[in-house]
Amino acid sequence: MDYGWREDTPHRWELLPTPPQFNLELSREYGKYAAKVMALRGLHTWEQARAFADPEHYSPTPPASLPDLERAVARLLQAREREETLCIWGDFDCDGVTSTSLLLSALQPLGFRVQFSIPLRSTEGHGLNPQRLQQVLAQGCQVILTVDCGVGNAAEIAMAQVQGVDVIVTDHHMLPDPLPAAYAVVNPLRLPAEHPLRFLPGVGVAYKLAEALYQALGIPGVEQHLDLVAVGIVADVAVLQRECRYLVQRGLPVLASTQRPGLRALLAQVSNGQLQRSPTTQDIAFRIAPKLNVIGRLEDASLAVELLTTSDPERAQALVQRFVALDEERRQLTQQVIQEASQQVESLDLTREGAIVLAEAGWNPGVLEIAAARLVEQYRCPTVLIAKDEATGLGHGSGRSLPGVNLVEAIEAVRPLLRRGGGHPMAARIQVDLACLAAVQLALRRELAARVSPDHQARTLAVEIVIDWELLASQGRDGVAELDEVYRQVQLLQPFGHGNPNPVVALMNVRCGSVKLGISQNGRHLKFELGSRTLWFWQAGEELERWQKCQALDIALQLEADDRGRQPWQGKVLAVRPAGEWQAPTISAPRLQIQDFRQKPLPDSQQGAICYDGQEAENFVPPPKGKELVLARWPWLPADLAQLLQQAQPQTLILTASGHRWEQIPQQIAQLQALWQAGRRDPEDLAAVTGFPRQWLAELDGPEQIPTLLMGRLQESQAFHRWLDEASPTQIAQLCQRLMQSDPLSRETREKREKNGE
């Protein structure tokens, strides 16, 4: 497996503590490690966790939720009835070819007269272009259906519509303002940010369109196309949450038993006969997608559509062999670009430049995106690479960015200097006239650099599962067995990918007697043997002597399936450091004393203590610092508890609270809506009547926001209160100690206060 680019830049280890919303019910059901990861990823309730882990408990979103989809379906059904010729206009990447293949496979059996067209990356670029459009129109096409492209092609769409050809756009790229005047524009970015369909890539939108067509015609069987959906979603690095996650969960079993000769031949080729399990998202990302992408990078992506739609096994096998040969050529071309670009970077002062925007003749445009991604990893700077075509006077560029640095925004800022440009915040393409190339490079570099901060460039390693190896040994516990259990639990969180990464596990304080270090036969890779399990640190063989000198190590890794089935899992090491920078938290009593009266009445001797009973922070009169504080009611959220503790600084915390009476919430919400409709809008007044926090109510702009805003807060609060009800006094004390030392205000609140001079 190709594990990508590895750099020596030290990681900043961030050991994530168990959040206070940790749900003991989820721990009992899924295990403590899986439950902690769920809590860290915002899954606090039983319903959220079950829908995440099991697609049987997820409620799929109706296709009609997508804007303009019903209008698109009606026009397509009209085309079917009239026997009009429909042209599917795709894109040359893996998302585009799977989208095109899906609709070809889905519509032809329904009686549609359908053909397809995919532009050449090298000469035509992304989306609609006038030359090929004229060819399509000349062939008698009467309806154009775009997939994974089109939303940025207003001029070409207008050209087709003027000639009496309706254009239906299905796309997921950034929306222009205004939208093109197409017959329909089906794009999930037109939905609210929290909508379940918001993350759909092109193939997801195409599937929802096919699903709606099958439903309208009363025909079953659209699920057979989920194999292509899984491939396209993962290949396009879509966020594996909400509907995208559900579609991949449903699609992976279909992929494992796919009836498409092309996919069967491709799976057999990339596994080399050694894959002893069903394909995973990692197999798609590192094995299948590169082979499907390569034909569009170097030749004609129409061949990838042929591979995915052919019924001829011999033709499928021939195409796969061609793709494999091209992939090797792609590797060589990519390495050439990386080496030449790196030589140019060495002459730059990246601390001053902040971004990389390079151009060179002789670079193949098809590999620039991969090369840019590698350079981003190497130099921690957003990178745009431009291939100069002296014959046409044009430059074709691809860029990759860092999380939080919006590449499309930077491109929009220099739009007047470009011929074309667009894409996603993390990946985009541009086309420039060579006559103004220098100006484009300077302007784009400045725009990107202005968006980069040290936080963006930091190589942070977020560790979600921490295991003290020395502590396990001192307790007589088998560390390998513990890792086996961690692996079993984290598999419940599959499929992994963007938005749901494979959790990082840190083995802390691994003594030299517990691990055997060695290298691979070719000397390139470092291995750590923990009993019968092997951890591999790729491209780190030269570090063997360095780590052998350490008495103990901290090892950060991910647990992955062993392709050859020799062991239950194998470890992919991400970072190593000498032990000693971290110690396991002790269970000794913290400075804050806890008196627990949650299950019994408060003694008479404590009746006179200062009591917190849910008051707003500014109305609460705390006891003198160092005195006793009675919690007669749990604060709504951890931030509220933090603010209370920092204000009171108690030496003793007396627990008498019990869970909120959640069954009263529906009546309280109804009461709040009635008060709002009656004209009572003052947050303090509403808080006094309903019992909801004033700061929550201050955020309301209208009655329609009440259920949405409050339910999200209340679900979080319910999980927090459940944890407080069930946690031990020591656990609560440790939480309170941490909260007393932290900043209870959110970053947004702090920035707002600073802006207002508070």
Side-chain angles (χ1 to χ4, degrees), residues 446-723:
R446 286 178 174 173
E447 288 293 335
L448 287 169
R451 291 166 168 79
V452 177
S453 70
D455 286 341
H456 292 133
Q457 295 181 301
R459 197 180 295 271
T460 301
L461 194 66
V463 178
E464 294 177 292
I465 297 175
V466 179
I467 296 176
D468 189 326
W469 202 258
E470 185 179 23
L471 181 61
L472 285 178
S474 68
Q475 296 173 345
R477 295 164 62 188
D478 184 350
V480 171
E482 192 75 11
L483 281 177
D484 288 346
E485 178 60 20
V486 171
Y487 178 72
R488 185 194 69 80
Q489 291 185 27
V490 299
Q491 293 315 293
L492 302 174
L493 309 177
Q494 287 268 25
F496 296 132
H498 180 46
N500 183 48
N502 189 351
V504 176
V505 181
L507 308 182
M508 316 300 288
N509 302 317
V510 181
R511 296 291 168 181
C512 58
S514 303
V515 60
K516 179 181 177 182
L517 276 70
I519 56 175
S520 60
Q521 289 183 350
N522 59 15
R524 294 171 56 190
H525 311 303
L526 183 63
K527 66 178 179 179
F528 302 81
E529 295 183 24
L530 294 170
S532 59
R533 305 289 182 263
T534 302
L535 319 179
W536 286 101
F537 199 4
W538 305 101
Q539 306 297 332
E542 73 281 358
E543 298 182 21
L544 174 62
E545 185 177 350
R546 172 188 177 188
W547 300 121
Q548 283 178 327
K549 294 178 180 179
C550 296
Q551 294 184 348
L553 300 172
D554 295 341
I555 306 172
L557 69 150
Q558 291 173 318
L559 305 180
E560 298 180 333
D562 181 10
D563 291 347
R564 302 186 180 184
R566 296 177 179 175
Q567 53 186 353
W569 52 266
Q570 63 181 0
K572 172 188 169 185
V573 176
L574 306 176
V576 181
R577 70 181 185 184
E581 300 180 29
W582 175 89
Q583 293 182 352
T586 61
I587 310 300
S588 59
R591 293 187 303 276
L592 180 67
Q593 301 298 312
I594 299 290
Q595 296 183 17
D596 189 6
F597 295 98
R598 286 174 292 180
Q599 307 299 329
K600 50 190 175 183
L602 188 67
D604 292 339
S605 60
Q606 303 289 357
Q607 293 292 339
I610 299 295
C611 178
Y612 173 79
D613 194 18
Q615 303 98 315
E616 298 283 353
E618 54 266 37
N619 298 328
F620 175 65
V621 180
K625 288 189 177 181
K627 298 297 183 180
E628 298 171 340
L629 173 64
V630 177
L631 280 187
R633 178 177 171 184
W634 299 133
W636 286 99
L637 294 172
D640 301 315
L641 177 58
Q643 189 172 0
L644 173 67
L645 292 171
Q646 292 186 28
Q647 186 177 1
Q649 292 290 316
Q651 184 175 351
T652 302
L653 192 64
I654 302 172
L655 309 178
T656 66
S658 59
H660 190 92
R661 297 183 63 182
W662 302 104
E663 69 276 4
Q664 297 179 351
I665 291 297
Q667 292 86 350
Q668 289 176 272
I669 290 179
Q671 181 186 33
L672 176 60
Q673 289 177 311
L675 291 171
W676 189 282
Q677 295 288 2
R680 295 175 65 174
R681 310 288 172 81
D682 180 64
E684 191 165 347
D685 175 36
L686 294 174
V689 176
T690 64
F692 292 128
R694 181 179 58 81
Q695 62 267 32
W696 296 5
L697 302 174
E699 299 177 18
L700 295 174
D701 292 326
E704 70 282 352
Q705 287 188 325
I706 291 174
T708 303
L709 176 66
L710 291 184
M711 288 312 298
R713 300 286 178 80
L714 290 168
Q715 287 176 350
E716 184 179 357
S717 180
Q718 189 173 14
F720 179 46
H721 287 194
R722 187 182 297 115
W723 184 88

Side-chain angles (χ1 to χ4, degrees), residues 12-63:
R12 183 177 63 195
W13 294 45
E14 183 179 0
L15 306 181
L16 303 178
T18 301
Q21 297 92 337
F22 181 78
N23 192 327
L24 290 175
E25 291 182 17
L26 301 185
S27 179
R28 287 189 285 267
E29 176 68 19
Y30 300 107
K32 63 179 182 180
Y33 297 115
K36 178 186 176 182
V37 175
M38 287 181 175
L40 288 169
R41 298 183 183 183
L43 304 170
H44 305 308
T45 68
W46 175 256
E47 292 76 15
Q48 290 173 330
R50 189 165 58 171
F52 182 86
D54 186 354
E56 293 292 339
H57 293 282
Y58 179 87
S59 298
T61 308

Side-chain angles (χ1 to χ4, degrees), residues 293-580:
N293 267 325
V294 71
I295 193 70
R297 296 187 185 281
L298 302 183
E299 291 189 8
D300 187 348
S302 298
L303 292 175
V305 175
E306 182 184 356
L307 174 69
L308 297 176
T309 56
T310 184
S311 59
D312 182 352
E314 291 186 3
R315 176 58 176 164
Q317 188 62 43
L319 286 169
V320 166
Q321 294 304 318
R322 184 173 180 180
F323 288 13
V324 170
L326 280 173
D327 195 38
E328 181 56 36
E329 180 183 347
R330 186 270 306 168
R331 291 175 185 270
Q332 296 174 5
L333 291 171
T334 303
Q335 191 59 33
Q336 173 198 340
V337 174
I338 292 172
Q339 290 176 349
E340 294 178 2
S342 297
Q343 291 173 359
Q344 293 189 46
V345 172
E346 294 306 319
S347 64
L348 302 176
D349 180 4
L350 290 183
T351 58
R352 182 175 60 85
E353 300 281 354
I356 299 171
V357 183
L358 303 176
E360 187 63 68
W363 286 351
N364 189 303
V367 302
L368 295 185
E369 186 177 8
I370 303 173
R374 300 281 179 84
L375 293 173
V376 169
E377 283 298 310
Q378 182 175 0
Y379 296 107
R380 304 303 296 169
C381 289
T383 300
V384 178
L385 302 178
I386 302 169
K388 297 191 292 185
D389 186 344
E390 304 288 356
T392 63
L394 297 176
H396 303 275
S398 289
R400 284 294 186 95
S401 193
L402 296 165
V405 181
N406 193 311
L407 186 55
V408 172
E409 285 184 357
I411 288 174
E412 288 300 320
V414 301
R415 172 70 66 176
L417 299 174
L418 304 176
R419 288 177 64 94
R420 307 176 68 171
H424 306 293
M426 288 285 290
R429 306 183 186 105
I430 62 172
Q431 188 180 85
V432 303
D433 288 310
L434 295 184
C436 61
L437 177 60
V440 169
Q441 288 182 264
L442 178 61
L444 188 54
R445 186 166 57 243
R446 286 178 174 173
E447 288 293 335
L448 287 169
R451 291 166 168 79
V452 177
S453 70
D455 286 341
H456 292 133
Q457 295 181 301
R459 197 180 295 271
T460 301
L461 194 66
V463 178
E464 294 177 292
I465 297 175
V466 179
I467 296 176
D468 189 326
W469 202 258
E470 185 179 23
L471 181 61
L472 285 178
S474 68
Q475 296 173 345
R477 295 164 62 188
D478 184 350
V480 171
E482 192 75 11
L483 281 177
D484 288 346
E485 178 60 20
V486 171
Y487 178 72
R488 185 194 69 80
Q489 291 185 27
V490 299
Q491 293 315 293
L492 302 174
L493 309 177
Q494 287 268 25
F496 296 132
H498 180 46
N500 183 48
N502 189 351
V504 176
V505 181
L507 308 182
M508 316 300 288
N509 302 317
V510 181
R511 296 291 168 181
C512 58
S514 303
V515 60
K516 179 181 177 182
L517 276 70
I519 56 175
S520 60
Q521 289 183 350
N522 59 15
R524 294 171 56 190
H525 311 303
L526 183 63
K527 66 178 179 179
F528 302 81
E529 295 183 24
L530 294 170
S532 59
R533 305 289 182 263
T534 302
L535 319 179
W536 286 101
F537 199 4
W538 305 101
Q539 306 297 332
E542 73 281 358
E543 298 182 21
L544 174 62
E545 185 177 350
R546 172 188 177 188
W547 300 121
Q548 283 178 327
K549 294 178 180 179
C550 296
Q551 294 184 348
L553 300 172
D554 295 341
I555 306 172
L557 69 150
Q558 291 173 318
L559 305 180
E560 298 180 333
D562 181 10
D563 291 347
R564 302 186 180 184
R566 296 177 179 175
Q567 53 186 353
W569 52 266
Q570 63 181 0
K572 172 188 169 185
V573 176
L574 306 176
V576 181
R577 70 181 185 184

Side-chain angles (χ1 to χ4, degrees), residues 746-758:
S746 68
R747 184 181 67 180
E748 292 77 12
T749 303
R750 292 197 303 270
E751 291 176 350
K752 184 176 180 181
R753 290 193 173 186
E754 290 172 1
K755 183 177 180 181
N756 295 333
E758 299 180 23

Side-chain angles (χ1 to χ4, degrees), residues 61-387:
T61 308
S65 301
L66 284 166
D68 277 4
L69 187 127
E70 290 182 311
R71 180 172 169 82
V73 167
R75 181 64 184 90
L76 291 174
L77 292 176
Q78 186 182 68
R80 175 177 177 267
E81 182 179 349
R82 295 176 177 176
E83 297 186 350
E84 294 176 316
T85 299
L86 168 67
C87 179
I88 300 172
W89 190 301
D91 193 31
F92 39 69
D93 67 2
C94 196
D95 188 19
V97 299
T98 52
S99 303
T100 304
S101 302
L102 187 153
L103 287 179
L104 281 173
S105 302
L107 299 188
Q108 285 175 336
L110 301 183
F112 284 86
R113 296 179 58 183
V114 58
Q115 59 189 43
F116 77 97
S117 179
I118 294 182
L120 298 174
R121 180 193 291 261
S122 58
T123 58
E124 297 174 301
H126 173 78
L128 304 175
N129 63 83
Q131 294 77 22
R132 184 176 286 253
L133 178 59
Q134 288 295 353
Q135 296 174 10
V136 168
L137 296 178
Q139 293 169 359
C141 171
Q142 294 154 296
V143 179
I144 294 176
L145 172 61
T146 75
V147 290
D148 191 34
C149 64
V151 75
N153 296 114
E156 290 82 2
I157 290 171
M159 179 192 306
Q161 303 259 117
V162 165
Q163 298 186 45
V165 175
D166 288 329
V167 180
I168 298 171
V169 173
T170 71
D171 200 354
H172 70 119
H173 292 93
M174 298 295 290
L175 299 172
D177 186 16
L179 292 175
Y183 187 89
V185 178
V186 185
N187 189 317
L189 293 185
R190 298 180 65 185
L191 296 167
E194 298 303 317
H195 196 279
L197 301 182
R198 173 80 175 191
F199 297 142
L200 289 181
V203 72
V205 180
Y207 179 77
K208 284 296 179 182
L209 177 62
E211 185 181 14
L213 284 168
Y214 274 63
Q215 290 175 356
L217 294 171
I219 299 175
V222 71
E223 296 83 7
Q224 66 184 297
H225 304 294
L226 283 170
D227 51 358
L228 294 177
V229 177
V231 171
I233 287 178
V234 175
D236 209 53
V237 201
V239 179
L240 290 189
Q241 298 173 13
R242 310 175 195 170
E243 202 84 5
C244 279
R245 176 177 173 82
Y246 169 76
L247 291 174
V248 172
Q249 285 174 310
R250 289 297 196 194
L252 286 173
V254 181
L255 177 62
S257 59
T258 182
Q259 299 304 302
R260 301 177 193 272
L263 273 181
R264 292 171 69 91
L266 189 56
L267 283 168
Q269 173 65 43
V270 300
S271 66
N272 198 24
Q274 297 178 345
L275 197 61
Q276 304 296 319
R277 51 173 173 72
S278 297
T280 66
T281 51
Q282 288 74 30
D283 296 319
I284 294 174
F286 296 110
R287 293 174 167 173
I288 298 174
K291 303 299 186 295
L292 288 175
N293 267 325
V294 71
I295 193 70
R297 296 187 185 281
L298 302 183
E299 291 189 8
D300 187 348
S302 298
L303 292 175
V305 175
E306 182 184 356
L307 174 69
L308 297 176
T309 56
T310 184
S311 59
D312 182 352
E314 291 186 3
R315 176 58 176 164
Q317 188 62 43
L319 286 169
V320 166
Q321 294 304 318
R322 184 173 180 180
F323 288 13
V324 170
L326 280 173
D327 195 38
E328 181 56 36
E329 180 183 347
R330 186 270 306 168
R331 291 175 185 270
Q332 296 174 5
L333 291 171
T334 303
Q335 191 59 33
Q336 173 198 340
V337 174
I338 292 172
Q339 290 176 349
E340 294 178 2
S342 297
Q343 291 173 359
Q344 293 189 46
V345 172
E346 294 306 319
S347 64
L348 302 176
D349 180 4
L350 290 183
T351 58
R352 182 175 60 85
E353 300 281 354
I356 299 171
V357 183
L358 303 176
E360 187 63 68
W363 286 351
N364 189 303
V367 302
L368 295 185
E369 186 177 8
I370 303 173
R374 300 281 179 84
L375 293 173
V376 169
E377 283 298 310
Q378 182 175 0
Y379 296 107
R380 304 303 296 169
C381 289
T383 300
V384 178
L385 302 178
I386 302 169

